[in-house]
């Protein structure tokens, strides 16, 4: 089953490299509507909680340090088939393997500093959106 919402973050590398505007433009040009949007910074604690599912993976410690190293942009997005279409728009986790034209291919630095997050399921999109946004912050 596919629903119509996903959650994204523009990660600290893409923010630091000045890509916020270009990435939001790519997202809206692909037909996603912005439901909620926030410029904020994760602490090591909140980044650790967000990526808790990866806590036993070897990259977890570095990922938490990276994700709390600078500001991020968080957003809830709406479109038919949002999860799958957004994962296609951002490309493979490793930008070296991402297809031409994808956000990660264009803006990412490495498999860790890979420019954007995209939810991998409807269930996680709901959990991740709730992590950042109250009901009153969604339009
Ligand atoms: N990551 C990493 N090293 C790896 C795999 C993943 O640093 O070998 C980071 C990367 O930032 C990635 C995040 O951990 O986006 C979550 O990994 P996942 O496998 O869920 O990839 P995604 O769903 O973001 O493509």
């Amino acid at each position: 089953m596919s629903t119509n919402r996903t959650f994204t973050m523009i990660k600290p590398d893409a923010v630091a490299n000045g890509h916020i505007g270009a990435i939001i433009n790519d997202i809206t040009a692909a037909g996603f509507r912005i439901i909620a949007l926030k410029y904020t910074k994760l602490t090591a604690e909140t980044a650790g909680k967000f990526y808790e599912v990866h806590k036993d993976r070897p990259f977890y410690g570095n990922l938490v340090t990276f994700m709390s190293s600078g500001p991020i942009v968080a957003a809830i997005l709406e479109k038919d088939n949002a999860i799958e279409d957004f994962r296609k728009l951002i490309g493979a986790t490793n930008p070296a393997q991402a297809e031409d034209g994808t956000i990660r291919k264009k803006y990412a630095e490495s498999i860790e500093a890979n420019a954007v997050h995209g939810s991998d399921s409807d269930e996680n999109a709901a959990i991740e959106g709730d992590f950042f946004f109250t009901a009153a912050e969604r339009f």
Side-chain angles (χ1 to χ4, degrees):
M1 189 191 89
S2 65
T3 60
N4 62 356
R5 288 197 178 177
T6 190
F7 170 81
T8 188
M9 279 187 281
I10 302 175
K11 297 186 180 183
D13 60 310
V15 172
N17 291 331
H19 297 313
I20 293 175
I23 291 173
I24 290 179
N25 190 55
D26 282 2
I27 290 170
T28 54
F32 290 87
R33 192 172 82 78
I34 295 169
I35 299 294
L37 187 69
K38 186 174 285 186
Y39 186 52
T40 186
K41 189 168 183 281
L42 294 167
T43 62
E45 193 187 350
T46 49
K49 214 168 167 189
F50 185 88
Y51 282 110
E52 201 160 22
V53 60
H54 293 308
K55 69 176 184 310
D56 297 327
R57 307 280 288 278
F59 58 81
Y60 178 72
N62 286 341
L63 178 62
V64 168
T65 300
F66 163 63
M67 286 302 298
S68 55
S69 66
I72 58 107
V73 175
I76 298 172
L77 305 170
E78 186 172 82
K79 182 184 182 296
D80 287 348
N81 204 34
I83 297 285
E84 200 183 324
D85 287 2
F86 194 73
R87 301 278 304 186
K88 264 188 211 145
L89 179 67
I90 68 177
T93 307
N94 184 351
Q97 288 160 9
E99 283 184 37
D100 283 348
T102 60
I103 289 175
R104 283 171 167 165
K105 182 70 168 196
K106 291 198 281 185
Y107 307 116
E109 291 182 344
S110 67
I111 191 168
E112 175 183 85
N114 61 359
V116 283
H117 169 81
S119 304
D120 62 6
S121 67
D122 294 326
E123 189 193 3
N124 284 336
I127 292 168
E128 292 167 1
D130 290 347
F131 193 88
F132 282 90
F133 297 102
T134 65
E137 292 174 315
R138 301 164 195 227
F139 304 98

